[in-house]
């Protein structure tokens, strides 16, 4: 089981944590919502949780809660710029379908 960050995503997270002046990494999980059932949730983390499953990519800690891990196992989190927009992109091999707006997915 593994969840990874691309070099671009790790660079973005590192810069943001440095700008914040605190934090140990990024927590990635899923929540039930949207047209297709699941949506990603991201938050910067100041303390490790007791149940957090830690992964590390390019020197950045990525923390996953045990309930979310089966849905996002194998996911690569990227940070992309497309025109004037920029943001995280989830490359999740478990996704079977996504809603039309791209906010939620089904596994």
């Amino acid at each position: 089981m593994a969840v990874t960050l691309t070099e671009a995503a790790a660079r973005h997270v590192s810069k943001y944590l440095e700008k914040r002046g605190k934090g140990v990494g990024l927590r990635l999980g899923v929540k039930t919502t949207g047209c297709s059932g699941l949506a990603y949730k991201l938050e910067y983390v100041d303390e490790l949780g007791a149940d957090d499953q830690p992964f590390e990519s390019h020197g950045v800690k990525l923390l996953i809660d045990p309930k979310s891990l089966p849905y996002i196992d194998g996911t690569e989190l990227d940070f992309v710029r497309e025109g004037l927009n920029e943001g995280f992109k989830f490359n999740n091999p478990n996704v079977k379908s996504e809603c039309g707006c791209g906010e939620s997915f089904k596994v």
Side-chain angles (χ1 to χ4, degrees):
M1 295 187 131
V3 179
T4 59
L5 293 165
T6 64
E7 194 173 329
R11 219 177 13 254
H12 179 76
V13 171
S14 292
K15 284 181 187 176
Y16 189 79
L17 289 172
E18 186 177 311
K19 193 176 186 179
R20 282 180 84 220
K22 62 180 180 176
V24 295
L26 184 68
R27 181 173 290 123
L28 171 60
V30 296
K31 60 184 177 179
T32 304
T33 190
C35 314
S36 295
L38 296 170
Y40 298 106
K41 58 182 182 176
L42 287 170
E43 64 182 352
Y44 289 94
V45 179
D46 294 330
E47 295 180 13
L48 296 176
D51 293 337
D52 284 333
Q53 175 71 45
F55 297 94
E56 191 166 323
S57 287
H58 304 285
V60 174
K61 280 192 186 345
L62 191 58
L63 307 162
I64 314 295
D65 70 88
K67 291 180 182 176
S68 296
L69 190 54
Y71 301 107
I72 57 177
D73 183 32
T75 296
E76 178 187 64
L77 183 59
D78 196 4
F79 189 79
V80 296
R81 287 191 172 94
E82 296 173 349
L84 297 175
N85 299 318
E86 63 181 20
F88 288 106
K89 181 178 179 183
F90 303 88
N91 299 311
N92 185 343
N94 304 303
V95 171
K96 303 290 185 237
S97 64
E98 293 179 321
C99 69
C101 65
E103 291 296 316
S104 63
F105 65 96
K106 186 182 291 186
V107 293

